[in-house]
């Protein structure tokens, strides 16, 4: 049985060596696939980075353009606001000026009739003062004439 055991042993060794050979071939294929996948991954990563960079630059260009548009619109809005405030101020000034002129006219209209008309109390006072003034002039004139002997 010694020869049969050696044959079985050799056959088992041959089978193990065959399996090792297949395993070595599979490992070699697997390492080639891993290497190809790593290279593909690296290439895909670089491509993704390039795409990201391109989109980032595009975003910056669009953002810069929209910012410039917003600033231009803000400037025109400021100009329109200033013009509107000026118009409103002029209207308020004109209205206030018109109102003050109208009030002045009303006051002058009220004063005109009052200035031309003398009230009863004023008329009595003027009459009394005139009578006293006339009496004083007459007494003064009589005294002067009497003094000069006329």
């Amino acid at each position: 049985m010694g020869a049969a055991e050696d044959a079985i042993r050799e056959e088992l060794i041959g089978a193990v060596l065959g399996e090792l050979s297949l395993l070595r071939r599979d490992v070699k294929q697997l390492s080639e696939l891993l290497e190809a996948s790593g290279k593909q991954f690296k290439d895909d990563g670089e491509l993704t980075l390039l795409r990201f960079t391109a989109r980032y630059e595009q975003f910056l260009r669009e953002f810069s353009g929209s910012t410039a548009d917003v600033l231009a619109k803000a400037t025109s809005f400021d100009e329109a606001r200033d013009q509107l405030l000026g118009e409103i101020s002029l209207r308020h000034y004109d209205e206030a000026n018109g109102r003050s002129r109208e009030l002045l006219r009303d006051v002058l209209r009220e004063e005109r009739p009052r200035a031309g008309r003398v009230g009863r109390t004023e008329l009595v006072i003027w009459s009394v003062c005139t009578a006293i003034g006339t009496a004083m002039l007459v007494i003064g004139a009589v005294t002067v004439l009497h003094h000069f002997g006329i």
Side-chain angles (χ1 to χ4, degrees):
M1 279 202 125
E5 281 183 21
D6 287 339
I8 292 175
R9 230 186 246 158
E10 285 180 19
E11 196 174 308
L12 282 173
I13 290 174
V16 168
L17 287 176
E19 288 294 321
L20 280 174
S21 176
L22 290 174
L23 185 60
R24 184 174 166 227
R25 185 191 58 162
D26 288 344
V27 167
K28 185 177 179 185
Q29 286 178 350
L30 185 59
S31 71
E32 288 173 358
L33 284 173
L34 282 174
E35 188 177 320
S37 292
K39 188 174 183 183
Q40 183 67 34
F41 182 75
K42 182 180 173 187
D43 291 344
D44 287 347
E46 289 174 358
L47 182 61
T48 302
L49 183 62
L50 287 174
R51 285 182 184 163
F52 177 75
T53 303
R55 289 202 179 180
Y56 175 72
E57 289 173 356
Q58 180 183 1
F59 168 77
L60 287 180
R61 283 192 302 273
E62 290 174 0
F63 182 74
S64 176
S66 67
T67 303
D69 290 344
V70 167
L71 290 176
K73 288 178 182 176
T75 302
S76 67
F77 176 77
D78 283 344
E79 292 170 358
R81 185 194 66 204
D82 291 344
Q83 185 176 4
L84 181 62
L85 288 175
E87 293 279 334
I88 290 171
S89 298
L90 285 175
R91 285 184 186 169
H92 284 294
Y93 172 77
D94 289 343
E95 288 175 10
N97 194 15
R99 278 191 303 247
S100 66
R101 286 183 180 181
E102 192 62 37
L103 289 173
L104 184 60
R105 285 185 193 121
D106 290 345
V107 167
L108 290 175
R109 272 188 232 127
E110 289 175 5
E111 289 297 319
R112 256 187 232 143
R114 201 182 297 167
R117 191 179 77 189
V118 177
R120 286 184 181 190
T121 309
E122 292 173 342
L123 185 60
V124 169
I125 293 172
W126 277 104
S127 298
V128 170
C129 287
T130 305
I132 292 173
T134 305
M136 288 173 65
L137 281 174
V138 168
I139 293 174
V142 169
T143 306
V144 169
L145 287 175
H146 194 285
H147 188 16
F148 286 114
I150 303 179

